[in-house]
């Protein structure tokens, strides 16, 4: 069994000056990531209106599948025109960890 996590630090547009506006950007991204059958949530920068951290977790029987799913998630977030992906941090854990 292999597990993988990723945390995406994103910069939101200038018009997201309230938590309600922030949610209007984060919620569609979270919904789009769920189509990859991963666990996903906003995990950091909860009180900052111009930034968000979105966490993704996946479990699979093969290391390659975990990497492939995390790659797809990162491409999706990076491809969103309304936000800027500042960083992506990953961790992979295998049977020997």
């Amino acid at each position: 069994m292999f597990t993988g996590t990723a945390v995406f630090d994103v910069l939101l547009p200038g018009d997201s000056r309230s938590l309600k506006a922030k949610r209007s950007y984060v919620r569609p991204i979270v919904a789009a990531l769920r189509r990859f059958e991963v666990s996903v949530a906003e995990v950091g920068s909860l009180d900052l209106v111009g930034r968000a951290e979105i966490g993704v977790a996946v479990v699979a029987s093969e290391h390659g599948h975990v990497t492939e799913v995390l790659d797809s998630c990162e491409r999706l977030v990076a491809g969103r025109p309304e936000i800027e992906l500042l960083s992506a941090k990953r961790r992979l854990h295998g049977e020997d960890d």
Side-chain angles (χ1 to χ4, degrees):
M1 177 177 73
F2 296 91
T3 61
T5 59
V7 177
F8 305 114
D9 184 11
V10 297
L11 180 65
L12 302 173
D15 67 343
S16 62
R17 292 190 178 101
S18 69
L19 293 178
K20 183 177 179 180
K22 178 181 179 177
R23 279 193 309 271
S24 72
Y25 287 106
V26 173
R27 186 176 288 149
I29 296 169
V30 169
L33 287 168
R34 284 201 173 115
R35 73 177 184 173
F36 294 113
E37 298 181 359
V38 296
S39 295
V40 59
E42 184 179 2
V43 296
S45 302
L46 298 174
D47 292 335
L48 297 176
V49 292
R51 298 275 291 274
E53 289 183 8
I54 300 170
V56 174
V58 61
V59 177
S61 60
E62 298 177 9
H63 178 271
H65 183 67
V66 170
T67 303
E68 182 180 308
V69 171
L70 292 178
D71 286 344
S72 297
C73 291
E74 186 172 345
R75 278 193 301 272
L76 185 140
V77 173
R80 301 290 292 214
E82 70 274 15
I83 63 164
E84 180 181 346
L85 178 60
L86 299 175
S87 70
K89 298 174 189 158
R90 291 187 186 192
R91 290 192 127 174
L92 299 174
H93 299 280
E95 296 171 339
D96 299 330
D97 292 343

